Amino acid sequence: MSRVALLFLALVVLAPTSAPAEAPTTLRLDYFHTASADEERFALDAVVLEGPWPGNPARPLDDLNLGKYRFEVIDRATNRTVYSRGFASICGEWETTGEARRVHRTFHESLRFPEPGGPAQVVLKKRGPDGLFREVWSVAVDPADPTIDRSGPPPADNVWAVLDSGPPSSKVDLLLMGDGYTAEEMEKWHRDARRMADLLFATPPFEERRGDFNVWAIDTPSRQSGVARPSDGVHRRSALRVTYDAFGSERYVLAFDNRRLREFAAAAPYDVLVLVVNGRKYGGGGIFNLYATVASDNAFTPYVMVHEFAHHFAGLADEYYTSDVAYESTFARPEPWELNATASTTSPKWLDLVTPGAPLPTPWEKEAFEETQREIQARRREIRAEGRPEEEMEALFHEEQERVDALLARGDHAEAVGAFEGAMYEARGYYRPQANCMMFTRTTKFCAVCRHALERVIDLYTRPAPE
């Protein structure tokens, strides 16, 4: 029996049923989220009891104010909020695409929280353009309800530890899940899982905070090698149903079968998820408090792994604005909730980190950068349209990064924290903290603001609430 299986068994045996607050069970609320660009609806699917709750008992309430959505678990006897978390969702992203103006779509989603000690109300809220959360759905949950699925999590025999730093309740528990690995490729999956952890912990601030993480991996063999790449004519029924071409964006990799994913993941303790797809083609994705995805064997896997994990873990925004994306641009520039982007040049949310004397907005080599990007993007589209080998795309990305790193290192404010125009897929009206960062280009470092944001989230999972 694996160490994680023994851990789960011990927690279940030792947890007295009369005092769930001492070692609560994880409760998963599954629901359907139907939306278009103009409306959205919610419907309860199921309530499921998983394994022991892995979260930090000292920080049940989320005080970071992140996410497009937020949910609160309210004890009905006292009207007190006993748990809360911000998050984003696939549906929340999809509603910003052109397709959402034409049709409705339904997505399956889950909320996970420690089982309450009695009847509770789960309130789902959505952030408006003014930055405030407003209730959009509410559902009652009673732990005594006989319809709750109490069959328990699947066996943990296929779960193993990549990094075991201590009890889940005081660590960030990262679960790595491989998709598109056959039973014969399990050794490759194990090597890839260890490599993904090494890549993450080679990058500050994760490097310094390695001891605050546990990393688990789960074996989920597929019948065929690789995952679906519809635009390449490749179709797979992989174990987790991960696919490229999400929202019509060729490199965007997502898993749309949420129930399947959650049933597999329930075998392990986890706060955050990374789905590793077995393949060479550049691709990935990251949604705040849902999961991150990364292709295993691309030359830029180290960058994609860390960049997409930052989306998932801390809700960091994409700072680039010259690549093709699925989302439609608007003229509105509301202040984003993400900690590394702002619409304000007079008082950016990272004002306390701004370099003394740096002008706001901060000058940078914007015109030269955009000229370089027009050339690179044209060559990139040509390579894809002609179906040329992945090695050519990787070579182009290497050339691009060398040119961009040199360009962004020029000027008086190259290392300053300021407000550099161009972020959130927009060339005008949104600003990022520094000239270069892993959220802007394929460079190797986070800017000072992103590092600070990542540290705050690590603290949420591992430290007591600030006084």
Side-chain angles (χ1 to χ4, degrees):
M1 184 177 289
S2 69
R3 188 264 179 193
V4 70
L6 290 170
L7 171 68
F8 260 35
L9 179 61
L11 287 174
V12 170
V13 170
L14 293 175
T17 56
S18 61
E22 294 181 17
T25 302
T26 301
L27 191 148
R28 191 183 84 229
L29 190 153
D30 291 344
Y31 62 98
F32 296 103
H33 188 173
T34 300
S36 69
D38 301 316
E39 66 171 327
E40 56 189 326
R41 301 172 185 173
F42 303 85
L44 178 66
D45 177 29
V47 179
V48 181
L49 290 179
E50 298 184 334
W53 176 248
N56 179 4
R59 299 283 294 274
L61 302 183
D62 183 355
D63 57 1
L64 299 183
N65 193 30
L66 301 177
K68 185 171 184 175
Y69 298 92
R70 175 184 175 90
F71 76 94
E72 298 171 358
V73 181
I74 301 172
D75 179 81
R76 294 176 68 181
T78 64
N79 204 34
R80 184 172 61 91
T81 300
V82 295
Y83 186 82
S84 64
R85 276 300 180 271
F87 69 100
S89 70
I90 294 177
C91 189
E93 290 200 1
W94 175 79
E95 70 177 8
T96 67
T97 68
E99 185 183 41
R101 297 185 179 278
R102 303 186 299 273
V103 299
H104 287 75
R105 283 188 64 179
T106 297
F107 299 84
H108 192 268
E109 300 175 357
S110 298
L111 306 176
R112 297 172 71 247
F113 48 91
E115 181 184 10
Q121 199 75 19
V122 178
V123 178
L124 180 59
K125 299 181 177 182
K126 185 177 184 179
R127 193 187 298 269
D130 58 1
L132 301 178
F133 285 107
R134 293 175 176 84
E135 181 178 328
V136 291
W137 185 53
S138 177
V139 61
V141 174
D142 185 350
D145 187 339
T147 66
I148 292 177
D149 183 349
R150 304 175 190 277
S151 57
D157 293 339
N158 59 342
V159 179
W160 49 282
V162 178
L163 174 66
D164 186 351
S165 299
S169 60
S170 62
K171 306 297 175 184
V172 179
D173 284 277
L174 164 60
L175 176 59
L176 299 170
M177 305 179 72
D179 200 26
Y181 292 86
T182 66
E184 293 74 25
E185 293 175 311
M186 283 297 100
E187 287 189 12
K188 179 182 187 299
W189 157 237
H190 288 192
R191 291 193 303 271
D192 287 348
R194 294 186 179 97
R195 179 164 53 91
M196 295 304 146
D198 289 342
L199 293 173
L200 182 67
F201 297 123
T203 307
F206 304 112
E207 182 179 28
E208 301 90 336
R209 302 292 297 269
R210 180 188 180 100
D212 285 316
F213 283 78
N214 290 328
V215 182
W216 313 104
I218 186 168
D219 299 339
T220 54
S222 298
R223 289 184 296 174
Q224 292 177 287
S225 184
V227 302
R229 306 195 314 273
S231 62
D232 295 329
V234 176
H235 301 276
R236 295 282 189 274
R237 290 180 60 83
S238 57
L240 304 180
R241 304 294 195 269
V242 180
T243 180
Y244 284 76
D245 298 288
F247 304 154
S249 180
E250 184 186 26
R251 62 182 173 79
Y252 197 16
V253 181
L254 293 178
F256 290 93
D257 193 337
N258 177 68
R259 185 187 288 107
R260 170 180 289 268
L261 180 65
R262 297 295 178 180
E263 289 297 321
F264 276 114
Y270 71 94
D271 300 305
V272 287
L273 285 170
V274 173
L275 313 181
V276 183
V277 299
N278 185 22
R280 175 79 181 268
K281 183 174 181 178
Y282 183 98
I287 297 177
F288 179 48
N289 270 344
L290 181 59
Y291 55 67
T293 65
V294 57
S296 62
D297 297 326
N298 190 271
F300 284 87
T301 291
Y303 158 77
V304 176
M305 169 64 194
V306 182
H307 173 97
E308 301 298 352
F309 185 77
H311 283 313
H312 167 43
F313 184 62
L316 294 183
D318 278 321
E319 297 175 5
Y320 57 79
Y321 62 90
T322 58
S323 298
D324 294 332
V325 295
Y327 315 115
E328 292 194 337
S329 177
T330 67
F331 293 107
R333 294 292 185 272
E335 180 63 20
W337 56 264
E338 294 90 342
L339 294 175
N340 61 321
T342 186
S344 172
T345 57
T346 56
S347 57
K349 55 176 67 82
W350 54 83
L351 189 60
D352 58 329
L353 296 177
V354 169
T355 301
L360 301 176
T362 313
W364 67 288
E365 298 284 346
K366 192 169 189 287
E367 291 185 6
F369 173 80
E370 291 174 355
E371 182 178 350
T372 299
Q373 286 300 296
R374 282 191 289 271
E375 175 200 336
I376 294 294
Q377 293 300 323
R379 292 166 60 187
R380 177 176 175 172
R381 287 190 288 269
E382 182 180 324
I383 290 172
R384 284 288 185 240
E386 297 177 0
R388 283 145 63 181
E390 193 67 24
E391 292 90 334
E392 292 194 33
M393 186 67 75
E394 292 172 350
L396 176 63
F397 286 168
H398 279 298
E399 175 192 336
E400 174 189 18
Q401 198 56 44
E402 288 179 3
R403 293 169 61 180
V404 164
D405 280 342
L407 180 64
L408 297 179
R410 295 183 345 211
D412 296 337
H413 310 293
E415 299 299 324
V417 175
F420 297 77
E421 190 174 38
M424 301 276 292
Y425 319 125
E426 301 289 352
R428 300 284 184 269
Y430 279 132
Y431 301 81
R432 63 189 190 278
Q434 289 191 250
N436 206 359
C437 174
M438 285 190 80
M439 305 312 293
F440 182 52
T441 74
R442 297 182 190 88
T443 193
T444 59
K445 298 179 180 179
F446 288 109
C447 71
V449 170
C450 287
R451 289 196 301 272
H452 180 68
L454 291 163
E455 294 244 36
R456 289 182 62 195
V457 180
I458 296 173
D459 289 345
L460 178 66
Y461 287 98
T462 63
R463 301 289 190 267
E467 295 182 1

